[in-house]
Amino acid sequence: MAASWARLQTELAARRVADDQVDFSTTAPFDGLRLVGGVDISYPRGVSDTAVVALTVLAFPSLHVLYAHSEPVAITAPYVAGFLAFREAAAYHAAFDRLRRTQPELWPQVVLVDGNGTLHPRRFGSACHVGVGLDVPTVGVAKNLLHIDGAGVDARGLKRLFAQDAQLVEVPIAADGEVLGMAVAPAGGCATNPVFVSPGHRVSMRTAVDLVRRCSVHRVPEPIRVADQQSREIARQMEPPSNG
């Protein structure tokens, strides 16, 4: 299974667009950008075959929530490290299908995905899958640093760098001479613990980093943070009662 998934990732990666192909200005203050989406999936403890997917759409630059929907989804594919998108992509696509049916006027111009884009062993993480699959501009924003052979950095060391230098904004994460992503401190000094940003599809590295910082009030950018809160709340309600 992993071998066939790896081959498919390689095929899909050939369709990924690395440059900015968006309908808004890619320099701050991002003139023309009105709608930013965020997606997240949470897993209830003690439930093996169901997750909760959440999709949000926020107004930009106010970051007011215009759309938020979360619902349980069946999960049929097993978890395999480095292939999370094959477990979750169908759920994300269902969430976007619902948005297209019910409120197409809120279709986002760019989507922040809770996961990685090019910061991935095969340079094709969940944000790339979502972007290429839907042909929508995407950015990967991960809370934890995925291990990548040859990257030569670790999350603790990066966190120390940001804690020691309040002016530090970003640190490149590279492997084999290629910058795959950035450790990014959110704007306004709201957190010193970085998030890990990488392009998904139709968004450049520079635009991805600048956009994530512009969408951040807390550590995690608001479209993902709101989606995470929604999916976690429903996931908690689904958890079986403790015997203790």
Side-chain angles (χ1 to χ4, degrees), residues 2-117:
S4 64
W5 283 352
R7 285 193 297 273
L8 181 55
Q9 278 184 333
T10 300
E11 293 171 9
L12 291 172
R15 295 165 49 191
R16 189 185 81 84
V17 175
D19 299 325
D20 290 316
Q21 290 191 9
V22 295
D23 62 355
F24 55 88
S25 170
T26 57
T27 57
F30 297 105
D31 291 338
L33 179 58
R34 298 174 295 102
L35 301 171
V36 180
V39 288
D40 178 84
I41 286 183
S42 293
Y43 292 86
R45 286 177 295 184
V47 180
S48 62
D49 59 354
T50 306
V52 179
V53 62
L55 167 62
T56 64
V57 181
L58 275 60
F60 187 90
S62 69
L63 302 180
H64 292 155
V65 179
L66 302 176
Y67 175 93
H69 179 77
S70 52
E71 61 180 306
V73 290
I75 298 293
T76 57
Y79 170 75
V80 180
F83 298 97
L84 184 62
F86 291 95
R87 184 172 168 84
E88 299 181 341
Y92 284 142
H93 284 220
F96 280 99
D97 286 345
R98 183 185 186 279
L99 174 64
R100 197 191 299 273
R101 291 194 315 271
T102 60
Q103 292 183 266
E105 71 279 6
L106 294 181
W107 189 263
Q109 294 163 275
V110 62
V111 178
L112 308 186
V113 179
D114 181 22
N116 290 291

Side-chain angles (χ1 to χ4, degrees), residues 37-231:
V39 288
D40 178 84
I41 286 183
S42 293
Y43 292 86
R45 286 177 295 184
V47 180
S48 62
D49 59 354
T50 306
V52 179
V53 62
L55 167 62
T56 64
V57 181
L58 275 60
F60 187 90
S62 69
L63 302 180
H64 292 155
V65 179
L66 302 176
Y67 175 93
H69 179 77
S70 52
E71 61 180 306
V73 290
I75 298 293
T76 57
Y79 170 75
V80 180
F83 298 97
L84 184 62
F86 291 95
R87 184 172 168 84
E88 299 181 341
Y92 284 142
H93 284 220
F96 280 99
D97 286 345
R98 183 185 186 279
L99 174 64
R100 197 191 299 273
R101 291 194 315 271
T102 60
Q103 292 183 266
E105 71 279 6
L106 294 181
W107 189 263
Q109 294 163 275
V110 62
V111 178
L112 308 186
V113 179
D114 181 22
N116 290 291
T118 56
L119 189 56
H120 182 272
R122 283 166 299 284
R123 316 321 188 231
F124 200 81
S126 295
C128 302
H129 276 268
V130 173
V132 170
L134 295 169
D135 194 24
V136 63
T138 54
V139 175
V141 185
K143 304 179 190 77
N144 300 304
L145 180 60
L146 182 66
H147 173 77
I148 297 173
D149 289 342
V153 294
D154 64 84
R156 288 185 180 180
L158 289 168
K159 185 176 180 179
R160 262 196 313 274
L161 287 176
F162 284 97
Q164 292 167 357
D165 184 354
Q167 304 303 312
L168 188 61
V169 172
E170 60 195 47
V171 175
I173 302 171
D176 301 323
E178 178 186 6
V179 175
L180 305 180
M182 293 277 191
V184 176
C190 58
T192 57
N193 190 15
V195 291
F196 304 99
V197 177
S198 55
H201 179 54
R202 293 173 50 190
V203 178
S204 68
M205 184 76 73
R206 183 71 267 153
T207 299
V209 170
D210 292 345
L211 184 61
V212 165
R213 299 192 80 239
R214 282 284 177 144
C215 289
S216 296
V217 178
H218 305 279
R219 178 191 175 219
V220 176
E222 286 298 284
I224 292 177
R225 193 179 74 88
V226 174
D228 178 75
Q229 288 178 333
Q230 293 237 334
S231 63

Side-chain angles (χ1 to χ4, degrees), residues 46 239-244:
E239 292 173 2
S242 171
N243 294 326

